[in-house]
Amino acid sequence: ASSSSPASSALESLSEANVGTCWEVFHAPHIARLSQVFSTEFKPIRYWLDRREGSGGGADERVFAIRSSVRYSTKGVFAFLGSGWLSASGTIEALSDGETLQIDFDTFWVDGDGAPGPRDLSGASASPTMADQAVTALGRLGFIPPLATFPVLAVYEDTAVFRFPPLRSNIAIKKITTL
């Protein structure tokens, strides 16, 4: 697969070809540093892209639904937190500059110890518990939109690289076909 020009990368990464796909982070130095500081492994980190509900007919083709889940496993002083999945869902949009993606997470949830995988609470048919609603409220308070803007550096058929400007770190993801 050939590389896209950065000017078209953001829109290309949100193309119909990527609807229903899952992407996994394989390079994120800032997450590796965070893992060391908190004695917690954050792996795998996965993103699912899909059409937005109700996005038929005239919807902005630059905006898609996104769901993110990261497996956490604590050790050392934080071992009491155990392991599980941290998840969020919302929208991802190619900004008008054509080079930048903006994520807006509006729903957050946690699946604790014993969860074989993350639940999907991203759709209208989801049934969040009271605990999920509390986590969403906290997540919305802690979500900082300016930290969720990612310039696209390169997009290939099954790989993409984004910049995380606050820490001057690059994030590389790959499309995965089996979980």
Side-chain angles (χ1 to χ4, degrees):
S2 61
S3 175
S4 303
S5 68
S8 66
S9 294
L11 284 172
E12 194 170 306
S13 67
L14 292 179
S15 71
E16 283 295 313
N18 287 319
V19 167
T21 59
C22 180
W23 296 77
E24 186 170 294
V25 172
F26 67 89
H27 177 77
H30 62 290
I31 299 293
R33 286 190 297 274
L34 186 70
S35 294
Q36 290 177 338
V37 169
F38 290 105
S39 297
T40 302
E41 181 178 51
F42 297 102
K43 189 175 184 178
I45 303 170
R46 294 186 177 141
Y47 299 94
W48 288 264
L49 293 178
D50 215 337
R51 288 182 194 84
R52 286 188 303 158
E53 289 190 9
S55 64
D60 190 340
E61 64 188 33
R62 297 175 307 152
V63 182
F64 282 72
I66 187 170
R67 177 170 50 98
S68 172
S69 293
V70 57
R71 175 98 175 135
Y72 69 91
S73 180
T74 58
K75 50 191 175 251
V77 73
F78 295 103
F80 69 94
L81 295 173
S83 62
W85 293 88
L86 304 172
S87 300
S89 67
T91 58
I92 184 168
E93 173 181 8
L95 299 182
S96 59
D97 69 3
E99 299 177 5
T100 307
L101 294 173
Q102 173 76 47
I103 295 176
D104 183 15
F105 287 130
D106 59 9
T107 305
F108 302 84
W109 64 99
V110 176
D111 294 299
D113 275 341
R119 294 173 292 152
D120 181 359
L121 294 183
S122 61
S125 62
S127 300
T129 65
M130 287 182 62
D132 294 329
Q133 293 171 12
V135 170
T136 287
L138 289 172
R140 287 179 181 168
L141 286 174
F143 183 73
I144 303 168
L147 297 180
T149 301
F150 304 92
V152 177
L153 302 178
V155 176
Y156 302 89
E157 185 178 325
D158 60 357
T159 310
V161 180
F162 305 90
R163 184 87 170 145
F164 183 56
L167 296 178
R168 297 185 188 114
S169 180
N170 291 345
I171 303 166
I173 61 175
K174 63 182 175 185
K175 190 183 296 187
I176 59 173
T177 55
T178 58
L179 300 179

